[in-house]
Amino acid sequence: LAKHPEIKALMKPDHNLIWVVMLMVLAQLTAFYLVKDLDWKWVIFWAYVFGSCISHSMTLAIHEISHNSAFGNSKAMWNRWFGIFANLPLGLPYSISFKRYHMDHHRYLGGDGIDVDIPTNFEGWFFCTRFRKFIWIVLQPFFYAIRPLCINPKPISRLEIINLLAQLSFDVMIYYLWGVKSIFYMLAGSVLGLGLHPISGHFIAEHYMFLKGHETYSYYGPLNLLTFNVGYHNEHHDFPNIPGKSLPLVKKIAAEYYDNLPQYNSWIKVLYDFVMDDTISPYSRMKRHLKGEVKQD
């Protein structure tokens, strides 16, 4: 910032995010209606080909909203309510809990017992062969859901209860209006999109140490268009209050800080290398033993 103070001008909300999220919710509602009378094989096909992309993209919209990128820091609660709205087409309550744990990830990156992005010892021990690592990738959404309860359980908050009730009400409404195929499409899209899917390469690309000494990596490939530029991950951790839309400008302005860092151009290759490289496993993360006072959300 001392060298490039113009970056401060990018620290403002991205109001276009509001309209993008609303269109994504509308797209999924339309899909729920269109799949209700299809044969099961086509429900599964569209759940993976279309629903999974929208669902994973929506989780990254929720990631943006968790950083108050939609309405700004001065309207933090507006962002929380909007996150609950964005959560609806995913089928499972996620937004409020994600916000609480994700802030810990930024404050205490790699913090043992705090950062639930770090796999458990069981994951590192068991998923150590090529086949098991492949299964681990398929099951990633389950591990991300269960891991916080094992590593760093937190008391349930009022907003999490509201998130849960809103989600259950929405799911019941979809089932009542359009039946079980729409519900299946919704849930399958979320599970498939966060598991064995090209976009899921970002889970591994972000912080797994393919090169010793480098714990955070950026990705500059085309899938950033679907993921709110989450691939610009070094830039995001340097400036978490800058919306994803503006992270390419951060890289352009401060190119001397980012251009020479290890980087990716293919999340599919990241997934392939993770499975096939016998030196990489869920253990390939930087873990820190935190000292002093730890403040969590």
Side-chain angles (χ1 to χ4, degrees):
L1 283 176
K3 188 173 182 181
H4 299 288
E6 62 270 30
I7 287 177
K8 291 181 181 179
L10 304 176
M11 298 176 183
K12 58 184 179 181
D14 174 17
H15 296 303
N16 289 331
L17 178 64
I18 300 168
W19 305 111
V20 172
V21 167
M22 292 178 70
L23 286 173
M24 291 169 69
V25 171
L26 180 61
Q28 279 294 71
L29 284 173
T30 303
F32 296 160
Y33 173 77
L34 292 175
V35 303
K36 68 184 179 68
D37 296 319
L38 294 181
D39 289 341
W40 277 107
K41 63 181 180 181
W42 290 112
V43 175
I44 296 170
F45 173 82
W46 287 114
Y48 188 79
V49 171
F50 182 77
S52 63
C53 296
I54 294 289
S55 291
H56 200 138
S57 183
M58 188 63 87
T59 67
L60 295 167
I62 290 171
H63 167 254
E64 287 284 292
I65 295 165
S66 76
H67 286 280
N68 295 333
S69 292
F71 296 98
N73 292 324
S74 63
K75 296 179 178 178
M77 280 305 299
W78 288 36
N79 289 282
R80 301 293 77 74
W81 294 118
F82 192 56
I84 292 173
F85 168 76
N87 194 154
L88 294 177
L90 295 178
L92 298 169
Y94 162 82
S95 177
I96 299 301
S97 296
F98 174 80
K99 157 72 176 177
R100 298 178 73 193
Y101 284 103
H102 188 63
M103 295 303 102
D104 294 340
H105 170 68
H106 275 273
R107 291 191 191 107
Y108 309 110
L109 180 62
D112 188 17
I114 302 296
D115 184 0
V116 299
D117 198 52
I118 300 289
T120 62
N121 286 328
F122 169 78
E123 291 171 72
W125 168 77
F126 185 77
F127 296 100
C128 57
T129 67
R130 292 180 180 182
F131 176 73
R132 291 179 185 178
K133 286 191 288 183
F134 175 80
I135 297 300
W136 184 78
I137 290 173
V138 173
L139 298 177
Q140 275 192 111
F142 299 102
F143 287 115
Y144 271 96
I146 295 169
R147 198 182 294 149
L149 303 177
C150 300
I151 294 179
N152 186 18
K154 297 184 179 186
I156 297 176
S157 69
R158 181 180 67 90
L159 279 177
E160 284 175 305
I161 294 173
I162 293 172
N163 193 177
L164 172 63
L165 294 176
Q167 191 63 59
L168 288 175
S169 299
F170 178 81
D171 294 351
V172 169
M173 181 187 74
I174 295 299
Y175 177 77
Y176 177 77
L177 290 175
W178 297 321
V180 69
K181 290 181 179 178
S182 297
I183 289 291
F184 177 87
Y185 167 89
M186 174 168 56
L187 296 175
S190 297
V191 172
L192 294 171
L194 296 170
L196 187 61
H197 195 281
I199 298 177
S200 291
H202 81 87
F203 289 132
I204 294 170
E206 290 166 0
H207 297 297
Y208 283 77
M209 294 179 64
F210 282 79
L211 295 175
K212 301 301 181 184
H214 294 275
E215 63 174 304
T216 302
Y217 301 77
S218 287
Y219 156 84
Y220 299 124
L223 289 177
N224 277 309
L225 295 172
L226 296 177
T227 58
F228 301 90
N229 288 326
V230 76
Y232 288 75
H233 217 67
N234 276 300
E235 295 85 345
H236 172 60
H237 272 268
D238 285 346
F239 301 102
N241 55 343
I242 293 180
K245 180 188 76 172
S246 299
L247 293 178
L249 288 175
V250 172
K251 181 179 184 295
K252 183 178 180 181
I253 292 168
E256 69 272 27
Y257 291 98
Y258 299 110
D259 284 354
N260 295 322
L261 293 177
Q263 56 193 250
Y264 301 116
N265 290 300
S266 170
W267 277 335
I268 295 176
K269 188 176 187 303
V270 168
L271 291 172
Y272 177 83
D273 289 345
F274 177 80
V275 171
M276 300 305 292
D277 188 337
D278 294 334
T279 67
I280 303 295
S281 75
Y283 269 141
S284 302
R285 292 289 297 264
M286 178 69 76
K287 183 183 283 190
R288 296 178 174 85
H289 297 284
L290 300 174
K291 299 179 180 178
E293 186 179 6
V294 174
K295 295 182 179 180
Q296 301 182 64
D297 280 5

